[in-house]
Amino acid sequence: MSNILIVQGADVATPALKSIARLTGASAIEQIQPNAFRLVGATAHAELAAQCAAAELDFGWIPADRKLSQFGLFVTDMDSTLITIECIDEIADMIGVKPQVSEITEAAMRGELDFSESLTRRVALLAGLEVSALDRVYAERLALNPGAEQLMRRLKAAGLRTVLVSGGFTFFTDRLKERLGFDHTFANQLEECDGKLTGRVSGTIVDASTKRNALETLRDQYGIAPTATIAAGDGANDLEMFSAAGLSFAFRAKPVVRASASYALDFSGLDGILPLLGA
């Protein structure tokens, strides 16, 4: 069975879409979402990636018989994937150490630093901050990435189990679980004393192997086939999870992560995952 070309973006210009259809020899263009299109009869072309990138469009090939109902588990990262910020960077801004923390964050996401070491170093810089500052970060700075709510609604309506697993903090994952209806969440617990952060985390650090283990454990718990699992993320800490998933989505990701994913979304919202699942 042939594969189908999906083209989508935040703003799909008709001339660009028609140009891609001509390039790939597509016989028809079918709109499947407001900003997502199926190109019927398209074939691969060496210039497809460059032409889509120039038009700020994402593309992906999917089996013609793929359906959302074939999947059972969705696991996503939080910081810079589900939400627009890196929470630890914004917490650090409250105490005046954001540049130092951001530098370590970026190195970890590029895969240049072991995640556990990088988290320990970053959290240590937060020592003495009033816990109430976390409320301000959530209320004033945390925003969902475009398409997050639409994605979660469709996945839940289709019966998928949804999981938020983060190298960030339970303060935020707990609130997002309630807000978006995740079935499970995993994250790090910031240690507190007398209303202030101690600069340490409690318990085992949630790292790349924890993310993979969460996916595999819940997959087996619910009796879901490995091919029916989905992972989404943006940093090197998500690569082990990607390797265990049936499909993986790199969202606004670092090059090393894009190269390892089944699909990359550089311009679409998170709801851009849906057309690539056959929804």
Side-chain angles (χ1 to χ4, degrees):
M1 185 172 290
S2 61
N3 288 337
I4 294 174
L5 177 61
I6 304 295
V7 175
Q8 55 187 328
D11 181 21
V12 183
T14 299
L17 189 61
K18 289 183 175 180
S19 178
I20 292 167
R22 288 193 298 271
L23 180 73
T24 59
S27 58
I29 301 172
E30 298 177 352
Q31 187 172 20
I32 52 178
Q33 283 189 16
N35 290 308
F37 298 83
R38 180 189 294 117
L39 274 61
V40 180
T43 56
H45 194 285
E47 296 178 14
L48 175 60
Q51 191 157 324
C52 285
E56 296 190 347
L57 297 173
D58 296 315
F59 75 95
W61 298 90
I62 69 169
D65 61 349
R66 177 177 289 169
K67 299 182 185 303
L68 179 57
S69 59
Q70 296 168 349
F71 297 91
L73 181 68
F74 173 73
V75 184
T76 183
D77 171 55
M78 180 176 68
D79 296 76
S80 297
T81 302
L82 184 71
I83 62 176
T84 60
I85 64 171
E86 290 288 325
C87 289
I88 193 167
D89 292 357
E90 301 309 315
I91 298 169
D93 197 32
M94 299 287 179
I95 202 171
V97 293
K98 184 174 181 177
Q100 299 94 305
V101 168
S102 295
E103 183 178 351
I104 301 171
T105 299
E106 284 296 311
M109 291 179 65
R110 291 192 300 267
E112 297 169 4
L113 276 180
D114 170 79
F115 180 79
S116 294
E117 176 192 351
S118 73
L119 184 69
T120 299
R121 287 171 53 185
R122 287 177 288 169
V123 171
L125 293 169
L126 307 180
L129 181 65
E130 297 282 347
V131 173
S132 59
L134 304 183
D135 284 304
R136 289 184 55 202
V137 171
Y138 184 81
E140 300 172 12
R141 303 192 181 191
L142 186 148
L144 298 174
N145 264 316
E149 290 175 303
Q150 297 94 315
L151 172 64
M152 287 296 294
R153 280 198 299 269
R154 289 291 301 278
L155 295 180
K156 290 178 68 62
L160 277 74
R161 303 286 183 172
T162 56
V163 185
L164 180 58
V165 57
S166 174
F169 307 115
T170 56
F171 181 92
F172 302 102
T173 58
D174 289 349
R175 285 157 178 77
L176 290 168
K177 180 180 182 181
E178 181 177 352
R179 180 174 174 181
L180 296 174
F182 282 96
D183 294 300
H184 303 274
T185 60
F186 302 86
N188 296 297
Q189 176 72 52
L190 286 168
E191 188 179 271
E192 306 171 14
C193 183
D194 298 328
K196 296 182 179 181
L197 300 181
T198 66
R200 296 184 294 271
V201 294
S202 302
T204 304
I205 289 176
V206 175
D207 59 8
S209 62
T210 311
K211 290 187 172 190
R212 177 178 183 140
N213 289 340
L215 185 151
E216 293 177 334
T217 299
L218 291 169
R219 175 197 72 195
D220 295 344
Q221 176 182 321
Y222 290 116
I224 296 168
T227 54
T229 62
I230 307 158
D234 73 299
N237 199 35
D238 299 311
L239 292 177
E240 285 195 37
M241 178 172 70
F242 278 15
S243 70
L247 289 180
S248 53
F249 291 86
F251 184 76
R252 310 283 201 275
K254 305 299 180 185
V256 65
V257 183
R258 294 180 81 262
S260 299
S262 307
Y263 300 101
L265 296 177
D266 295 324
F267 308 107
S268 308
L270 280 169
D271 54 340
I273 290 175
L274 293 166
L276 296 168
L277 297 179

